Amino acid sequence: MDIAPLTEAGLAYVLAHLTEEDRAEFDASGLAESIDAVFTEGWLKSDLSGQVVLDGTPVAIFGCLSAGEGVGVPWMVATPGFRTRPRRAMELSRQVIEAMQAQCRVLTNWVHARHGYAMRWLPRLGFKIGAECVGPGGEFRLFTWSV
């Protein structure tokens, strides 16, 4: 499992094979655009982006959008293949977060409150998850890292 530059083919593959939790999170977001349009735009606007590849197959895509004044909005979605090597996935995730932290004083976004995997993963990466449910349908919680 390694990090590589994000490609159009990698983006398409991961979006076609998302985990059920990532698909449910997107569906709950209430965004009117298609998932392909949202993540293509996110990729193109991200200051930092990439994909995680396992045996030549993309298993996750990620990026960080600038919200201005040192604030970054990290994002990531994955296929079930990302979870097959949890130690390596955590190593790579920490590398990615460190690269984002080098560019931003604050990293923040929403996570679907029912996305159990992400709710466990984010604190292990140093994020604090708010207790209050917010956002569309009150189904999201704010997660934040700051200097």
Side-chain angles (χ1 to χ4, degrees):
M1 191 178 284
D2 292 296
I3 295 172
L6 183 52
T7 64
E8 200 170 324
L11 183 135
Y13 183 86
V14 170
L15 294 180
H17 297 88
L18 286 179
T19 64
E20 289 180 26
E21 291 165 311
D22 280 338
R23 174 68 64 187
E25 182 175 62
F26 182 80
D27 291 345
S29 73
L31 294 170
E33 300 90 350
S34 72
I35 193 167
D36 293 336
V38 168
F39 282 97
T40 298
E41 181 178 356
W43 168 34
L44 295 174
K45 290 185 175 181
S46 287
D47 295 325
L48 180 152
S49 65
Q51 62 186 351
V52 177
V53 179
L54 174 62
D55 298 328
T57 301
V59 293
I61 58 174
F62 61 86
C64 188
L65 296 157
S66 174
E69 299 184 24
V71 177
V73 181
W75 57 269
M76 183 189 124
V77 291
T79 72
F82 182 74
R83 299 178 184 183
T84 63
R85 296 195 186 154
R87 284 191 180 130
R88 181 66 176 149
M90 179 56 72
E91 264 178 42
L92 295 176
S93 295
R94 285 189 174 129
Q95 289 175 22
V96 168
I97 294 302
E98 287 172 8
M100 291 177 184
Q101 290 168 335
Q103 295 180 3
C104 303
R105 293 181 334 302
V106 176
L107 296 172
T108 189
N109 202 344
W110 293 352
V111 61
H112 196 233
R114 290 181 285 170
H115 195 317
Y117 190 83
M119 295 291 287
R120 291 185 303 277
W121 197 257
L122 288 164
R124 292 176 64 198
L125 292 170
F127 289 94
K128 293 182 181 169
I129 300 176
E132 184 180 337
C133 285
V134 295
E139 294 187 49
F140 292 82
R141 291 171 63 184
L142 189 67
F143 67 88
T144 305
W145 171 89
S146 62
V147 175

